[in-house]
Structures are given as structure tokens and as C-alpha cells.
Amino acid sequence: MSELLQIRNIRKSFDTHEKRLLVLDGISFDVREGEFISILGPSGCGKSTLLRIIAGLEKQDEGEVLLRGKRIKGPGQDRAMVFQDYALFPWRTVLGNVLFGLEIRKIPKKEALEKAIRFIKLVGLEGFEKSYPHELSGGMRQRVALARALVCEPEILLMDEPLSALDAQTRNLMQVELVRIWNETKKTIIYVTHNIEEAVYMADRIAVLSRRPAKLLDLVEVNLERPRDRFSKEFIDLRARIFRLIQG
Ligand SMILES: Nc1ncnc2c1ncn2[C@@H]1O[C@H](COP(=O)(O)OP(=O)(O)OP(=O)(O)O)[C@@H](O)[C@H]1O
Ligand SMILES: [Mg+2]
């Protein structure tokens, strides 16, 4: 796998009421093409900030993010974001929500419809095209959000704790689904979470961040065969190792 993204010495602070808050303290790592990489770290350490910088929604103070060698200066169609709270349009149906990005891009109606239906099927929502978000469960809403991001065919999917609003069982099921969808679409996924088990279950590699100001503690390779067994010794050992790493 070749390097798709290069994250180089990212520093970022925010001006709060009286003081300057250093959030990211020189973060560097590469993201390989087609990999599932997780950014893991304690709450408030700066994971969302880092993801927003990669998305081009936030500007770093120092450092740069290169996408195929070109510096990221703002949002682009090569990257799509999936948020924790789904951010669906309540007045649009499942199909309407998935079609949205294609309408903005002025994709011809017939082509857009075919695409939307294909991605609704991919995320397992066939038969719910005409449902409204309030008629869906949390897991189903997250599937809609995923289809809406995927339908625009970005190279990179940026996901910020997309499953954290779900109950534990639905969350596990959605992790399995996400790995399947990643396998089928061959997208590069950058997945932010503070949940160690989630990262170990899904990711090829885990960028482990420290407490704020966040530094990269380690880039952990998860050499476990998929589908992964959450109760295997190797799985539990890796969880423990990462837990200790973050605890310091
Ligand atoms: N726009 C902003 N202005 C001021 N401070 C901010 C801003 N955005 C984030 N911060 C601060 O930066 C720090 C990191 O925030 P961030 O949301 O990136 O953390 P996180 O790791 O995603 O946390 P969580 O796991 O709770 O989602 C926090 O202390 C937050 O208060
Ligand atoms: Mg966050």
C-alpha cells in the first residue's frame, strides 16, 4: 500500500477566554491508500480537531497535510465526513437524503437515482427508501449518513465517532457492517474514536494520541485476522496494551 495522506507536524491551539490552549502538539503520521486507520485518544485530546484539519474545515497553526503530495487547503470532493449525530435532513426521505449530494453536484436525475439506490442497498437499507429519519432506529440513521457520504464516491471517508450514539449491541453490529462496507468499496477510512475495543476490532492501524496537548504515542499495527474475535487472547492483550499506553 502506498501513502495517500501525509500528516506532518500538525500543531494547533485555540484562543479561549484568557489563555491559549495547545491541543495538537506536533502530530505526524501517514495514511496508506485503502487502509482503515483509527485515531484513538482520550476525550478532549483533539481527535475531532485533527480530523477537521484533514477535512479542511479547520486550519492548523503549523505543519501540513498532504493528499497525494498536494497540500490540503480546504474541503474537497475527495473527502467526505460522517458525524456522530448523523446530520440527516428530517424532511427528506432516506432516498432524498442520499440523493442530496448528487443534486448539489448536478448529476443527471436517472444516474443519481441509480447510484443512490445502489448505495442504499450497500448499507443494508433496501426497502426503506421512502422512510423518514424519525421512522428509523439510530443504527439505520447512521447507515443513511454512511450511504450519503459514500454515494459521492470520495477517496477518503472521515468518520468522527459515528457509532457512539448507539447502544452497545447495535454498535457492535455496525462495526461488523462498516468493515464489510470498507471491504466492498475499498475506501480509505480514517475513523476517530475514544473506544479502544472499537479501534482494535476495525482498524488496520491505530494512531494512539495522548491526553491534551496531544502527541502521537504510537502507531499500532493490528495484525489480527478478520473477522476478529473480540474474546481471543490476542485481541484482549492488544486492548490492554493500548489501554496502558494511554494511561501512561
Ligand atoms: N473552536 C474551538 N474553540 C476553542 N476551543 C476548542 C475549539 N474546538 C475544540 N476546542 C478545544 O480543543 C480541545 C480538543 O477538542 P476536540 O473536540 O478536538 O477533542 P476530541 O478528542 O474530539 O474530544 P471527544 O472525544 O470528547 O470528542 C478541547 O479542549 C476543546 O475544548
Ligand atoms: Mg471529538
Side-chain angles (χ1 to χ4, degrees):
M1 279 197 250
S2 56
E3 259 95 62
L4 180 65
L5 263 187
Q6 293 164 294
I7 297 159
R8 291 278 171 270
N9 196 30
I10 296 292
R11 275 176 72 89
K12 172 75 184 173
S13 46
F14 287 107
D15 282 320
T16 55
H17 310 285
E18 299 106 38
K19 54 181 180 134
R20 227 175 145 69
L21 184 75
L22 180 61
V23 176
L24 301 171
D25 189 10
I27 306 281
S28 301
F29 61 91
D30 292 340
V31 177
R32 301 166 183 161
E33 187 160 4
E35 85 170 322
F36 196 132
I37 191 166
S38 179
I39 298 173
L40 176 75
S43 185
C45 78
K47 303 179 295 294
S48 296
T49 304
L50 180 57
L51 201 69
R52 289 172 57 80
I53 289 171
I54 297 170
L57 297 169
E58 187 89 66
K59 282 220 169 355
Q60 64 273 30
D61 304 330
E62 283 176 44
E64 56 184 5
V65 183
L66 304 172
L67 174 57
R68 293 192 195 285
K70 276 182 82 175
R71 192 177 176 148
I72 287 177
K73 291 192 179 132
Q77 295 192 4
D78 40 34
R79 284 151 288 145
M81 191 102 158
V82 180
F83 302 94
Q84 174 183 349
D85 60 3
Y86 327 123
L88 300 176
F89 300 119
W91 60 88
R92 283 188 165 225
T93 62
V94 168
L95 182 62
N97 267 282
V98 177
L99 276 172
F100 179 74
L102 301 173
E103 287 170 7
I104 284 188
R105 261 156 236 188
K106 307 236 182 320
I107 308 286
K109 257 203 172 123
K110 185 161 172 278
E111 186 190 335
L113 202 60
E114 278 170 12
K115 256 188 150 174
I117 286 169
R118 179 153 54 89
F119 281 93
I120 287 171
K121 201 169 165 188
L122 175 78
V123 299
L125 281 181
E126 211 178 356
F128 291 92
E129 293 82 354
K130 292 187 178 137
S131 301
Y132 286 88
H134 76 268
E135 299 171 304
L136 306 175
S137 70
M140 291 163 87
R141 284 180 210 170
Q142 197 49 267
R143 288 172 197 261
V144 180
L146 195 58
R148 193 182 52 183
L150 285 168
V151 79
C152 296
E153 305 202 64
E155 272 200 273
I156 306 175
L157 208 53
L158 304 171
M159 309 189 82
D160 194 356
E161 311 231 26
L163 308 184
S164 58
L166 307 176
D167 64 273
Q169 250 174 310
T170 310
R171 185 174 181 145
N172 281 5
L173 185 76
M174 284 299 291
Q175 290 168 2
V176 175
E177 282 287 281
L178 252 177
V179 172
R180 173 186 64 79
I181 291 164
W182 166 71
N183 253 319
E184 285 182 26
T185 58
K186 308 273 183 247
K187 295 287 166 206
T188 304
I189 296 185
I190 306 180
Y191 190 100
V192 161
T193 182
H194 62 260
N195 184 309
I196 302 175
E197 177 181 338
E198 180 162 88
V200 174
Y201 184 77
M202 293 196 290
D204 293 321
R205 292 191 304 156
I206 306 173
V208 184
L209 303 186
S210 70
R211 290 200 192 85
R212 197 182 62 235
K215 286 179 182 295
L216 182 72
L217 290 173
D218 200 359
L219 205 51
V220 177
E221 294 262 359
V222 186
N223 289 316
L224 300 175
E225 239 176 79
R226 292 190 177 94
R228 292 179 180 157
D229 176 2
R230 297 173 201 267
F231 300 102
S232 71
K233 183 174 182 311
E234 295 77 13
F235 193 100
I236 293 166
D237 285 352
L238 188 56
R239 270 183 73 176
R241 195 182 118 204
I242 295 171
F243 178 79
R244 283 188 218 104
L245 188 68
I246 294 174
Q247 292 298 305

